[in-house]
Amino acid sequence: MTTENTVADEAAAGSATTRTRRSRRRGLWSFLRDVVVIILIAILVSFLVKTFVVRSFYIPSGSMEDTLQVSDRILVDQITPRFGDYERGDIVVFRDPGGWLPPSNTPPRAPFVEAVDWVLSLVGLSASDSDDHLVKRIIGLPGDQVVCCNALGQIEVNGVPVDERAYTKLGSGEPASAIDFDVTVPADSLWVLGDNRNRSKDSRYNTEQPGQGFVPIDNLVGRAFLVTWPLDRFGLSDFHHDVFAGVPDSAPQSGASPR
């Protein structure tokens, strides 16, 4: 009897041990499955945010100094432009309209590096396409007449002079542009300039390109609203809308509405 009970107890103990092991394996697989699901959801959410809400870019040149510095990392709002209008003074990121940027001499990267960068770009941790985009300030909206320069060296928009000293990087007494121009912005386009006027290859320098220096609104990624890095420069971008407060609306145009 004792022997039978001992055998039964050992069998029961063995069965319990097996069940415990199976339960642990199931628990481990459930945990790993949950981790994978969480990671996939996080990647999906990050991808949707990057695609429809905000994107990250870094600043590769000094054309927007002192507003934006070389190597600053910025966030670009993609929501407001989709459902609202751009305004004069907005800082915008846009794709090259054609001929603004020099041909890329970047050497090809290893497939593994490209794959890693692609994954990181999906979640907004990489901004390797920053060199393929430009960042400038909107000076003229569709229908605006933008002229430079008046007797005081100022730009005039729709006949009203604008005092840009709050954000432009110019020497004392320098005009707002070393190049004179008188343009009327066509529908669905913008006239943009860099804040560092003497180091910015902006609309003024691209009038011989197919787009005649104007940026199609369809080329815009969005409005740069926040500097996120370095930390000592963290803060919201100043669009200086007050500089253009006295500019009257131009004739109605399709595309972004002047205001």
Side-chain angles (χ1 to χ4, degrees):
M1 187 72 176
T2 302
T3 302
E4 291 177 354
N5 287 341
T6 300
V7 171
D9 291 343
E10 291 176 350
S15 178
T17 301
T18 300
R19 286 197 300 271
T20 300
R21 290 174 179 171
R22 289 175 179 171
S23 177
R24 287 176 178 173
R25 283 198 295 269
R26 284 196 298 269
L28 177 61
W29 284 114
S30 295
F31 172 75
L32 293 176
R33 180 195 62 199
D34 292 343
V35 168
V36 170
V37 169
I38 291 172
I39 291 174
L40 290 176
I41 291 175
I43 291 175
L44 177 61
V45 171
S46 297
F47 171 74
L48 293 175
V49 167
K50 173 181 175 290
T51 303
F52 300 106
V53 183
V54 295
R55 283 186 66 179
S56 176
F57 289 89
Y58 70 84
I59 304 302
S61 75
S63 69
M64 284 295 292
E65 292 176 344
D66 289 322
T67 304
L68 298 174
Q69 303 287 345
V70 176
S71 298
D72 277 358
R73 188 170 287 268
I74 60 174
L75 290 184
V76 175
D77 164 25
Q78 300 181 99
I79 292 182
T80 302
R82 291 175 188 270
F83 300 101
D85 297 326
Y86 290 103
E87 298 183 53
R88 303 178 191 93
D90 286 351
I91 300 170
V92 291
V93 172
F94 56 95
R95 298 184 303 277
D96 184 356
W100 287 44
L101 292 172
S104 176
N105 295 319
T106 304
R109 297 185 296 182
F112 176 76
V113 175
E114 287 284 357
V116 171
D117 183 73
W118 180 79
V119 172
L120 293 177
S121 69
L122 287 181
V123 297
L125 296 179
S126 173
S128 58
D129 60 347
S130 294
D131 288 328
D132 300 326
H133 293 74
L134 300 101
V135 57
K136 306 295 178 190
R137 190 181 296 272
I138 296 176
I139 304 299
L141 293 169
D144 284 347
Q145 182 183 22
V146 188
V147 180
C148 191
C149 295
N150 63 15
L152 297 178
Q154 298 171 316
I155 288 176
E156 294 186 354
V157 182
N158 297 336
V160 174
V162 291
D163 185 354
E164 300 182 276
R165 289 176 296 176
Y167 55 80
T168 50
K169 185 174 182 177
L170 293 167
S172 177
E174 277 192 273
S177 173
I179 299 175
D180 292 337
F181 53 83
D182 184 346
V183 299
T184 298
V185 185
D188 303 313
S189 298
L190 303 169
W191 182 262
V192 299
L193 301 177
D195 288 355
N196 189 357
R197 294 289 160 82
N198 294 328
R199 290 189 57 194
S200 179
K201 298 296 184 181
D202 44 43
S203 288
R204 300 168 294 168
Y205 290 90
N206 291 282
T207 56
E208 300 301 319
Q209 301 298 337
Q212 298 180 316
F214 301 107
V215 178
I217 290 176
D218 288 343
N219 279 47
L220 268 62
V221 175
R223 182 166 52 184
F225 72 98
L226 182 70
V227 175
T228 60
W229 189 263
L231 290 178
D232 61 351
R233 289 182 43 74
F234 183 89
L236 294 172
S237 301
D238 192 339
F239 301 132
H240 294 282
H241 290 152
D242 56 303
V243 170
F244 302 89
V247 176
D249 291 347
S250 63
Q253 299 278 333
S254 59
S257 301
R259 61 180 184 178

